[in-house]
Amino acid sequence: MIVAIAAGQQPRLTLDPRVPVETMTAYIVQVSMGDTPAGTLEYRTIFAVGATLFALTFVMNVLSQRLAQGKRGRL
Amino acid sequence: MPDPIKPVRIETRGLRAWFGAKEALHGIDMVFHDREVTAIIGPSGCGKSTFIRCLNRMHELVRGARAEGQVILDDVDVYGKDVDPVLLRRKVGMVFQKPNPFPTMSIRENVLSGLRLTGRLDRSRAEEIVERSLRGAALWDEVKDQLDKGGASLSGGQQQRLCIARSLAVEPEVLLMDEPASALDPIATARIEDLIHELKEQYTIAIVTHSMQQAARVSDRTAFFLMGDLVEVDDTDNIFTSPKDQRTEDYITGKFG
Amino acid sequence: MNEATAPRARTARAELTASRAGSKRLEKAFLALCLVSVFAPLALLLYLVGETTLDGLGRLSWDFLTGYPSRKAEKAGILPALVGSVYLITLAAGMALPVGVGAAIYLEEYGGRSRLARLIEVNIANLAGVPSVIYGLLGLGVFVRFLGLDRSLLAGAATLALLVLPIVIISSREAMRTVQDNVREAAYGLGATRWQVIRSVILPQALPGILTGAILAVSRAMGETAPLIVVGALTYMTFLPDGPMSPFTALPIQIFNWVSRPKAGFDINAAAGITVLLLTLLAMNATAIWIRQRAQRRA
């Protein structure tokens, strides 16, 4: 969220770290601030973005758990 | 000279115990006489602790542990279907190797904890129970002026006597002691041993110990365990002077263990 | 010293006094690096907090605390946001604490190593690492729409409760795990049932740890913005919430709102709002530490 403010709110596909971009979180927040009645395209889109974000973090969580468990198993 | 034979209080028949798939006791048949001290000796891992923990069904609290066979207490098989292990443990109390007073409770609360935990405390009798139990554990004179201090503030030996007082407060009939003095210094140990002498006037006591001298000092009868089997049980004098089994003799003469 | 031991003494002297200058220097450099990584962020944080407090101090006043938002920066206050935040965290804590501690008791004392317990455990660990905005979407889908709570305080609080639930569960379990097995055994040995052991022996001993977790959870809930915006918190509210079904706003949202306004003056309001938020969090943490120490002193 705070990152959302710091990184800017401009959707832009770039690898240049110096220009403002938009994070998934910021996008969801941005859309939510406007009026988004259930069923509209915007409403569905934030859920799609959320699902993507969840999938990404899920993979990372599982990976980190694997690592932690591997360590413990060896002790 | 051995005392006249006293009636049997506890009898085990074919008692076997497991930790997971590993069998720790291979069928123990043994009796404990009323108001006697029975010592159980043997090298580490011989099953002596497991054995007494089966007597009040503490063994089964360990994850994956179970027991089979019979433990007859006053004609009732405590492994019977309708026996509640919780009620059994109120009758057959236990003192553990490491003193384990409840750290969040004062001395007074520790003594009363057994009754309070189980919702059986009669408040009007509380003071009387505290004094009687602490006297019974030979701790009263040392702590009577600081009953509201934390139980953990006492010395190791005092803590162990507090644990004994805590066990006495629920008025058990049998006391199981699992190496009660092994974490204590010689002076504290001597006090515990004196206490055991006094307690046997009222209680049937089973004590596990790794110290043969201790067994010789406190017990009337001694059982020798080896690798999950009961090798020999007899009057303590006989065990230490003329054991019948070669393995017992080897152990008490220090050839192994 | 006789002749036979003399050579051995010489080599020993050589071995024990050899110069370690190189490795010593490396050790010092490493220590310096560690110190920098500790103190550089700390200094930066202090600077930020100091700067913000200085900026906001001028705006901090009774009027600011008891005022309503306004188009004019110097007239604006944070009362609805403050009241909303207090409502939110009270409701959220009321939901998350009993459920979280209950779940921890089940997992730690009853669940054992069953498949179900293992599955729940993995899921909780995962949930703890999920970005908060996703909880907002969950709240929007489940509480706001499906359960029909609408954009209410209750929906917001339930969302925050879900968000902090993993924290409560994990810290409570951690606290219960520190209760030694021999103390449990003592209680069982006195003829206590499992529930009696949990209630009278394990929970009192775990209480300081559970409280710490609870405060962490509440602090986290207090600072969250994204999930509340997604759930539908108002960003401009000129009345006070009047019950659990009322619309709401919260302190971080008010701050976010002010930060994103270009007009001068609002940045100062934001700084003042941040100061209030920080002070509230500080006060809450201090209370928690005080409670914990009281609980520990008894132990």
Side-chain angles (χ1 to χ4, degrees):
Chain A
M1 182 64 200
I2 304 310
V3 177
I5 300 175
Q9 282 147 23
Q10 296 173 28
R12 180 163 18 191
L13 189 63
T14 173
L15 288 175
D16 185 345
R18 292 165 304 172
V19 297
V21 290
E22 181 170 51
T23 61
M24 288 193 264
T25 306
Y27 173 77
I28 296 172
V29 169
Q30 205 61 36
V31 172
S32 302
M33 298 236 279
D35 199 24
T36 45
T40 59
L41 187 60
E42 283 85 356
Y43 183 78
R44 290 183 192 184
T45 310
I46 56 173
F47 278 94
V49 173
T52 314
L53 185 58
F54 179 77
L56 281 175
T57 53
F58 184 78
V59 169
M60 288 199 274
N61 279 330
V62 169
L63 271 178
S64 73
Q65 277 187 11
R66 281 280 149 78
L67 282 175
Q69 232 160 32
K71 266 271 162 52
R72 221 174 299 147
R74 246 173 276 140
L75 277 176
Chain B
M1 191 194 110
D3 295 330
I5 301 264
K6 290 181 171 162
V8 168
R9 194 71 208 272
I10 301 177
E11 179 177 3
T12 71
R13 291 182 195 151
L15 183 63
R16 304 170 71 190
W18 288 264
F19 289 101
K22 190 178 165 290
E23 190 170 328
L25 290 177
H26 314 297
I28 307 293
D29 300 289
M30 187 175 151
V31 298
F32 294 83
H33 294 188
D34 193 32
R35 294 171 202 221
E36 265 189 12
V37 177
T38 306
I40 297 163
I41 60 171
S44 299
C46 68
K48 53 191 192 297
S49 284
T50 306
F51 177 59
I52 67 161
R53 293 167 68 94
C54 284
L55 301 182
N56 71 343
R57 295 184 61 175
M58 288 288 287
H59 172 67
E60 65 205 61
L61 289 174
V62 179
R63 221 167 247 174
R66 65 195 174 87
E68 224 172 64
Q70 288 182 308
V71 175
I72 314 291
L73 170 71
D74 302 334
D75 290 330
V76 180
D77 177 11
V78 305
Y79 280 93
K81 252 199 200 111
D82 48 352
V83 170
D84 182 349
V86 165
L87 298 177
L88 169 69
R89 293 181 201 127
R90 295 176 190 175
K91 220 170 138 111
V92 183
M94 191 152 197
V95 176
F96 299 85
Q97 183 169 1
K98 225 178 124 201
N100 51 2
F102 297 121
T104 54
M105 299 181 195
S106 68
I107 293 172
R108 183 200 316 274
E109 287 169 331
N110 258 290
V111 175
L112 295 173
S113 59
L115 295 169
R116 192 171 280 162
L117 268 171
T118 55
R120 294 179 297 154
L121 179 63
D122 174 359
R123 272 173 207 288
S124 60
R125 286 188 57 222
E127 288 311 305
E128 173 204 333
I129 292 169
V130 169
E131 181 170 347
R132 178 170 47 79
S133 307
L134 285 170
R135 279 191 193 281
L139 188 59
W140 173 252
D141 291 329
E142 288 159 64
V143 301
K144 63 183 173 200
D145 299 321
Q146 41 173 331
L147 293 175
D148 291 313
K149 268 176 77 175
S153 65
L154 299 173
S155 72
Q158 289 175 322
Q159 285 190 19
Q160 193 61 300
R161 276 178 283 148
L162 175 59
C163 293
I164 293 173
R166 180 176 67 184
S167 299
L168 298 182
V170 296
E171 301 184 345
E173 292 159 32
V174 179
L175 261 187
L176 308 174
M177 301 180 144
D178 189 358
E179 304 199 24
S182 69
L184 305 181
D185 63 63
I187 294 169
T189 301
R191 297 221 52 169
I192 301 279
E193 288 178 5
D194 290 344
L195 177 57
I196 291 171
H197 262 294
E198 291 164 27
L199 291 175
K200 78 169 178 179
E201 304 292 321
Q202 283 186 65
Y203 304 94
T204 303
I205 296 175
I207 174 172
V208 165
T209 174
H210 62 243
S211 152
M212 285 175 275
Q213 292 85 342
Q214 185 169 67
R217 284 192 298 261
V218 301
S219 70
D220 303 292
R221 295 192 347 125
T222 296
F224 172 58
F225 274 60
L226 189 62
M227 295 168 76
D229 283 305
L230 170 62
V231 174
E232 189 172 353
V233 56
D234 204 341
D235 286 339
T236 298
D237 291 343
N238 292 344
I239 286 278
F240 285 103
T241 53
S242 50
K244 294 188 189 68
D245 195 291
Q246 185 61 40
R247 292 170 292 173
T248 314
E249 187 171 340
D250 288 349
Y251 183 69
I252 60 170
T253 53
K255 286 204 179 120
F256 73 94
Chain C
M1 192 187 297
N2 68 42
E3 267 155 47
T5 59
R8 204 195 299 156
R10 257 197 308 280
T11 37
R13 169 157 298 275
E15 279 167 3
L16 294 175
T17 57
S19 164
R20 273 197 320 120
S23 73
K24 267 185 192 155
R25 215 174 299 132
L26 203 67
E27 214 172 295
K28 275 202 179 125
F30 184 67
L31 182 65
L33 192 71
C34 291
L35 285 177
V36 168
S37 29
V38 170
F39 286 107
L42 213 62
L44 203 62
L45 189 68
L46 267 178
Y47 168 75
L48 270 175
V49 171
E51 178 83 2
T52 310
T53 319
L54 281 182
D55 276 352
L57 222 50
R59 274 300 278 130
L60 269 187
S61 65
W62 188 247
D63 287 340
F64 181 70
L65 292 177
T66 57
Y68 291 82
S70 159
R71 257 174 271 280
K72 292 197 183 98
E74 60 280 3
K75 277 188 162 176
I78 55 167
L79 189 62
L82 206 54
V83 171
S85 274
V86 170
Y87 260 122
L88 277 174
I89 58 167
T90 312
L91 283 171
M95 289 184 255
L97 292 185
V99 176
V101 175
I105 290 174
Y106 168 77
L107 288 172
E108 208 48 40
E109 304 293 330
Y110 289 93
R113 286 181 201 151
S114 68
R115 251 202 143 79
L116 178 68
R118 184 79 197 112
L119 190 75
I120 297 174
E121 219 165 284
V122 170
N123 271 299
I124 290 169
N126 268 324
L127 285 177
V130 167
S132 59
V133 72
I134 288 174
Y135 285 94
L137 288 170
L138 188 67
L140 177 62
V142 176
F143 301 126
V144 176
R145 307 273 186 220
F146 184 73
L147 294 181
L149 295 181
D150 225 5
R151 316 195 144 200
S152 62
L153 262 177
L154 198 58
T159 306
L160 289 180
L162 271 186
L163 174 74
V164 301
L165 200 55
I167 302 176
V168 177
I169 296 176
I170 290 170
S171 56
S172 302
R173 288 190 66 184
E174 218 58 62
M176 283 192 259
R177 218 170 293 160
T178 59
V179 179
Q180 289 177 322
D181 275 343
N182 65 7
V183 176
R184 285 167 216 256
E185 270 190 338
Y188 282 119
L190 290 167
T193 63
R194 187 178 284 215
W195 166 239
Q196 287 163 344
V197 174
I198 292 170
R199 194 199 56 201
S200 308
V201 175
I202 295 175
L203 285 184
Q205 247 185 290
L207 192 65
I210 293 176
L211 281 177
T212 310
I215 285 298
L216 273 177
V218 168
S219 306
R220 171 91 194 269
M222 182 114 190
E224 279 298 339
T225 324
L228 293 180
I229 291 180
V230 175
V231 166
L234 300 179
T235 46
Y236 191 87
M237 187 163 156
T238 52
F239 55 95
L240 294 183
D242 57 1
M245 295 313 288
S246 161
F248 69 101
T249 189
L251 209 42
I253 294 178
Q254 184 65 69
I255 294 166
F256 176 67
N257 176 287
W258 279 333
V259 168
S260 29
R261 285 202 197 193
K263 224 168 111 187
F266 282 110
D267 51 341
I268 304 214
N269 282 6
I274 290 170
T275 311
V276 172
L277 188 61
L278 279 177
L279 286 177
T280 319
L281 284 176
L282 232 95
M284 274 167 34
N285 278 306
T287 319
I289 290 169
W290 179 70
I291 294 175
R292 195 175 59 191
Q293 273 174 348
R294 259 183 52 139
Q296 265 167 350
R297 205 167 318 133
R298 287 209 57 207

